[in-house]
Amino acid sequence: MTGTADTTSRSLLRFATAGSVDDGKSTLVGRLLYDTKSVLADQIEAVERASVDKGMSTPDLSLLVDGLRAEREQGITIDVAYRYFGTPTREFVLADTPGHVQYTRNTVTGASTAELAVLLVDSRNGVVSQTRRHAAVLSLLRVPRLVLAINKIDLIEYDQAKIADIEREFTELTRSLGFTDDAVQVIPVSALVGDNVAFRSDNTPWYTGPTLLEHLESVPVDGPDADAPFRMPVQYVIRPRNGAESRSADASLGDLHDYRGYAGQVASGTVRPGDEVVVLPEGHRTTVSEVRTADGPLAAAGAGLSVTVLLADDIDAPRGALIAAASDVPEVTSEIDATLCWLAEKPLVPGARLLLKHGTRTTQVIVGTLGARLDTERVSYAAAPEKLEINDIGRVSLRVADPLPVDSYARVRTTGGFLLIDPPTGNTLAAGLVGDPLAAVPAAG
């Protein structure tokens, strides 16, 4: 947090928070905003006045975020609040999700794009059923890094032994869910007084790890998609009809009457000129001749970068097609076995006819059989239900009208994920994950 950095080179970390009701999540988020000076002076003054009126000796930082939370609980605004703040070394996008059991679907929404999740527990209660539920959802979504923030340690008088017991139990849980030990960081904190949130606490001399903010600033931001095989859904085909349009689109291209580029965001891996690729679902093979942005050609483009790819051969790659590495081709199939997180009030039943959105392509789908349902409290699979209710997570078979190139979600999150949509309204009904990302989870005994 000290020193001066070139803000133009600051990296971006997307992370989510989760935890049970009253574990202090609002106070922790408020503390992060307060200690990073990401709130206005008049907001701080209002919080300080309100805290004095409540008879508190320290500012109630939860008031910085509880106004929006009250709106969420009344259904006035969105269920996941996104907050933006930064330090001299990194910028952050925080997805603040509700803690209620009935809002499990909102944890799915907030964590779906996260590179890290901060899971809170109350040090007086330790690991509870909601902790297990959230950890299962975070593992299901393949969030690559997890922080357990053991909060309210001031209320247990900084008891090292009790904190060690919570860490031991949580580590057993995360190992059973497939997290490696180096992907999980346990930090004892007091959001109320600021212990180990942004500044190291003198009350925990036995703790030698990073503060929460130090950890957020230092973790790698390259997610698993960076090392995955190259995938890019085609968003738009750029084909000027004459040289004048070509020059107006990109002056460096010159008078190229047959210029054709395929624009999209690199979903995973890296693409370079000379790479052999395949255009799916048709299966045409070709070579990348150039990778461009508005600023000119690139030697390489990685996951998350929006580019235009030029191909050596004149082949058809319309919007909705997928350009993929020829050395590692996804499966093209009309039959998909998947895991669904059901988000809608209306339950899902076999035989439902819906729309499926995968990448930039939307097609019709029929729901087949429903498989086992995930008991998120016990972190085990229960018997197959007759229907999936709101917040349920279960296995399902799907048949799509048009063959789709899909990866397993456990391997490539972007091309392994999809949405189910209600045809009449266009509302999102479910988040889908190809395959079974929690294959190691046992059936209920």
Side-chain angles (χ1 to χ4, degrees):
M1 291 182 60
T2 60
T4 302
D6 178 8
T7 57
T8 61
S9 63
R10 289 190 298 175
S11 57
L12 173 68
L13 176 70
R14 299 178 183 274
F15 73 102
T17 58
S20 301
V21 177
D22 297 327
D23 276 354
K25 186 164 59 63
S26 291
T27 304
L28 182 68
V29 174
R31 171 64 64 180
L32 281 171
L33 298 176
Y34 180 84
D35 284 348
T36 56
K37 298 178 172 57
S38 301
V39 289
L40 299 175
D42 59 344
Q43 291 177 292
I44 296 175
E45 291 174 2
V47 166
E48 290 173 343
R49 288 195 302 270
S51 301
V52 170
D53 292 342
K54 292 169 62 176
M56 300 182 64
S57 58
T58 57
D60 182 2
L61 298 178
S62 68
L63 297 176
L64 290 172
V65 295
D66 268 349
L68 183 55
R69 167 172 291 183
E71 292 177 354
R72 287 206 309 267
E73 292 178 345
Q74 295 175 50
I76 297 173
T77 61
I78 61 174
D79 293 306
V80 179
Y82 291 91
R83 308 183 187 283
Y84 307 86
F85 66 99
T87 68
T89 57
R90 178 166 284 180
E91 294 179 343
F92 302 95
V93 179
L94 188 163
D96 183 16
T97 65
H100 298 280
V101 174
Q102 62 266 37
Y103 295 146
T104 300
R105 57 177 175 164
N106 306 119
T107 302
V108 172
T109 301
S112 61
T113 58
E115 297 154 313
L116 178 147
V118 177
L119 181 54
L120 269 74
V121 296
D122 187 324
S123 61
R124 297 169 297 179
N125 303 324
V127 175
V128 297
S129 59
Q130 185 71 333
T131 310
R132 295 178 176 276
R133 179 178 289 107
H134 281 145
V137 170
L138 296 172
S139 175
L140 180 77
L141 295 172
R142 300 315 249 209
V143 177
R145 296 174 185 86
L146 187 59
V147 174
L148 177 69
I150 304 176
N151 194 24
K152 303 185 181 182
I153 57 174
D154 54 312
L155 299 183
I156 61 168
E157 298 181 348
Y158 305 96
D159 187 335
Q160 181 182 3
K162 185 166 186 177
I163 291 169
D165 288 341
I166 297 173
E167 178 175 359
R168 190 177 305 109
E169 182 179 2
F170 187 74
T171 299
E172 291 177 0
L173 171 63
T174 55
R175 285 174 179 170
S176 71
L177 290 170
F179 286 100
T180 58
D181 288 353
D182 60 356
V184 180
Q185 178 70 49
V186 178
I187 304 176
V189 303
S190 172
L192 181 64
V193 299
D195 291 311
N196 297 328
V197 179
F199 304 102
R200 191 168 298 278
S201 173
D202 294 334
N203 295 313
T204 56
W206 40 265
Y207 174 69
T208 58
T211 67
L212 176 59
L213 188 57
E214 285 173 345
H215 185 68
L216 294 177
E217 287 182 314
S218 61
V219 295
V221 294
D222 289 334
D225 285 345
D227 297 325
F230 169 64
R231 306 281 190 262
M232 191 191 85
V234 176
Q235 178 74 26
Y236 185 71
V237 180
I238 301 174
R239 191 176 186 187
R241 290 190 298 274
N242 56 54
E245 292 180 6
S246 225
R247 286 190 296 272
S248 67
D250 188 337
S252 67
L253 289 173
D255 192 17
L256 297 179
H257 295 266
D258 294 327
Y259 167 72
R260 180 183 296 188
Y262 304 96
Q265 185 179 69
V266 179
S268 65
T270 303
V271 61
R272 299 175 178 85
D275 285 353
E276 292 186 20
V277 295
V278 59
V279 178
L280 300 170
E282 290 78 8
H284 301 301
R285 290 177 176 258
T286 184
T287 302
V288 175
S289 60
E290 197 168 1
V291 180
R292 306 187 64 88
T293 67
D295 297 324
L298 298 176
L305 188 63
S306 295
V307 297
T308 299
V309 172
L310 279 68
L311 303 178
D313 299 299
D314 186 12
I315 60 178
D316 185 29
R319 172 181 167 82
L322 180 72
I323 303 177
S327 60
D328 196 333
V329 182
E331 178 186 13
V332 179
T333 180
S334 298
E335 303 284 345
I336 299 175
D337 290 322
T339 303
L340 287 187
C341 304
W342 191 251
L343 311 176
E345 298 283 352
K346 181 180 179 181
L348 175 70
V349 295
R353 294 176 178 268
L354 308 171
L355 295 177
L356 184 149
K357 180 174 175 57
H358 176 260
T360 54
R361 173 172 292 195
T362 300
T363 185
Q364 295 178 328
V365 63
I366 298 177
V367 177
T369 58
L370 301 184
R373 182 183 65 84
L374 180 65
D375 184 336
T376 53
E377 182 172 345
R378 297 182 180 180
V379 192
S380 60
Y381 276 113
E386 295 182 357
K387 56 187 175 182
L388 287 183
E389 305 278 4
I390 186 170
N391 291 315
D392 277 350
I393 297 173
R395 296 167 176 163
V396 65
S397 65
L398 304 170
R399 182 173 181 81
V400 292
D402 303 304
L404 297 175
V406 297
D407 292 285
S408 68
Y409 186 84
R411 188 161 185 256
V412 185
R413 286 208 292 176
T414 306
T415 50
F418 60 88
L419 298 175
L420 292 185
I421 299 170
D422 183 36
T425 65
N427 293 335
T428 299
L429 301 176
L433 318 174
V434 177
D436 183 10
L438 284 179
V441 171

